[in-house]
Amino acid sequence: MSNTQYAVCHLQRGSGNDSGMSCHIERKDAKGKKYVPLNADANRTHLNRELVSFPAGVKNRTDAIQFRIDHAGLHRKVGKNQTKAIRIILTGTHEQMMKITNDGKLDNWIDANMKWLKETFGSENLVSCVLHMDEKTPHLHATIVPIVTTERFRKKREGEKKYETKSGARLSADDVMRRSKLHEYQNSYAAAMKVFGLERGIVGSTAKHLANSEYYKLQMSKYEEDIAKLQADVEQAKEGRSTVLSWFGKGDLAKAKKELASKDEQIAKLKNQIKMLMVEKSQLQEKHKAEIEQLRNGYQKEIDKAIHQAESAERKSKEKDSVIDRQNQRIDQLDRKANPQRYRLSSGAELVRINVPNYRNPSLHIWTRVGDEFFENIKFQIDYDAAQKHFNGEITDEEFVNAVFDPQEQVNGKQAELLSAVFTLAAGGPAEVHVGTGGGGSSSELPWGEQKKKNPQRGR
């Protein structure tokens, strides 16, 4: 598979004794009557499994939560607003979860999840864990009662005495749901799931990958299921109301009025529940939308920050390059003053430009000027070592030209005349001024011009 497959571990505080979720998770109501949500496949509900055995006398998940609290040895009374249970949804990207199932590795996946849950939260605190196979993606609903024995977490204030606390068990969802621990859960869960081809999402404030998306999908499904169930109850109540109305013709008026009032009250309650669920569903949608927008904004902030850093680095780089260029220019100026001979042609002409097409098999093309008189010349098969010294910056352009061309080869006759130069060869005698390739006019009228034609310098 080309796409990354993520492990999904989502924790959420339950409300009260969390009986509302027990119906959805266990597929039965408080009276034990079978309940199958609209988004579930009733033909596959029998594949669902309760993976934790309840203590004797405990009938369902809701009772199991209270049983754990009653037998935990708590020293403090449990407050009405305290979180009694934490729900944990465990699953993975749909494609990989189906592959795990089809490859016959689902039991191994379940065992690894149960091992992680017990090691992370304690075997006694894991009061329920249900496998759902009748929805789109196989997943687990684990229920943890947040009983802890660690010392209360409290910020240390300067000058304050060490905080003392009674030893023993206490109910603390805050401790279990602390930010640092949530980060640890994601890391350890991803490590446990790696063998199944599931990976942790990107770490970071904006990296919630699809855990929230999967969770919101499940929550939205639950709201839709509950609303549909309530609407069905309303229809049943309306049918009952119609039956009651039919009694009016049978003379039992008092009984009919009493039953009718009861049905009206029942319908009003059901409609109010539907209204509340619709509001909660809408709030959930808005929250999801807001978090997605926050996620997108977070990424954009990271992108903008990266661009800003890159631009800043580029500016600093340009500033450094500018300083280096100025220093190099300064060095060049100082070198010209300190070593003027390195920047002077032996002929006395001004070097306008040079060109070496290929330093591996070098030739040298030069352009010189005396006043307004220009001249160009080229020589092939020049000294390789001199070319390499020039390439490495060991010698200046002028030194390179002087090494390759004799003084008379650097100018034409007109330029030599303008320079009033008499070139002397190392062997003695008058120099032969090179006619070259032109550009400054022919110098054939000069005394040495005819001899130049007989003894060309090109290719020396």
Side-chain angles (χ1 to χ4, degrees), residues 291-460:
E291 289 197 6
I292 292 297
E293 188 63 28
Q294 185 179 3
L295 191 67
R296 188 181 297 111
N297 291 342
Y299 279 127
Q300 188 59 51
K301 286 178 181 177
E302 289 181 9
I303 292 169
D304 292 342
K305 183 179 178 182
I307 291 172
H308 176 73
Q309 289 175 340
E311 289 175 344
S312 177
E314 185 179 8
R315 282 195 300 271
K316 289 178 180 177
S317 177
K318 286 181 178 178
E319 289 171 3
K320 289 178 181 177
D321 289 342
S322 178
V323 171
I324 291 170
D325 288 341
R326 288 198 299 271
Q327 292 293 344
N328 285 335
Q329 291 173 8
R330 179 64 177 159
I331 290 168
D332 186 55
Q333 292 169 356
L334 292 171
D335 189 48
R336 285 177 180 272
K337 291 179 179 179
N339 305 290
Q341 72 282 356
R342 297 186 65 211
Y343 301 90
R344 191 178 298 150
L345 289 182
S346 56
S347 63
E350 176 191 351
L351 181 62
V352 177
R353 181 165 77 91
I354 71 170
N355 179 43
V356 183
N358 182 1
Y359 277 92
R360 291 182 181 274
N361 185 23
S363 62
L364 179 59
H365 194 167
I366 66 170
W367 288 263
T368 63
R369 177 172 60 193
V370 178
D372 295 329
E373 186 73 19
F374 284 88
F375 172 72
E376 65 175 286
N377 196 6
I378 187 168
K379 185 175 284 192
F380 300 92
Q381 297 176 349
I382 65 174
D383 183 69
Y384 177 80
D385 290 338
Q388 286 302 305
K389 285 183 179 180
H390 178 261
F391 179 76
N392 294 326
E394 296 175 28
I395 59 176
T396 65
D397 289 351
E398 287 82 358
E399 286 177 312
F400 186 27
V401 172
N402 289 336
V404 175
F405 291 95
D406 291 332
Q408 70 273 15
E409 295 175 313
Q410 299 172 7
V411 294
N412 61 14
K414 183 67 173 175
Q415 288 179 315
E417 186 178 2
L418 289 170
L419 287 169
S420 300
V422 176
F423 303 114
T424 304
L425 296 174
E432 295 180 2
V433 178
H434 188 47
V435 175
T437 59
S442 174
S443 56
S444 58
E445 70 271 16
L446 296 177
W448 51 73
E450 292 298 321
Q451 190 174 356
K452 173 73 186 78
K453 291 180 182 177
K454 294 177 184 178
N455 186 19
Q457 297 294 316
R458 181 185 291 270
R460 285 181 57 180

Side-chain angles (χ1 to χ4, degrees), residues 188-226:
S188 62
Y189 185 67
M193 294 296 103
K194 189 173 182 181
V195 68
F196 300 101
L198 297 168
E199 299 181 14
R200 192 206 196 290
I202 302 166
V203 179
S205 59
T206 62
K208 296 183 181 179
H209 60 86
L210 55 85
N212 273 353
S213 296
E214 291 289 341
Y215 167 72
Y216 279 120
K217 286 176 186 176
L218 291 169
Q219 284 294 88
M220 291 300 293
S221 296
K222 176 188 174 298
Y223 278 121
E224 288 166 2
E225 292 158 16
D226 291 347

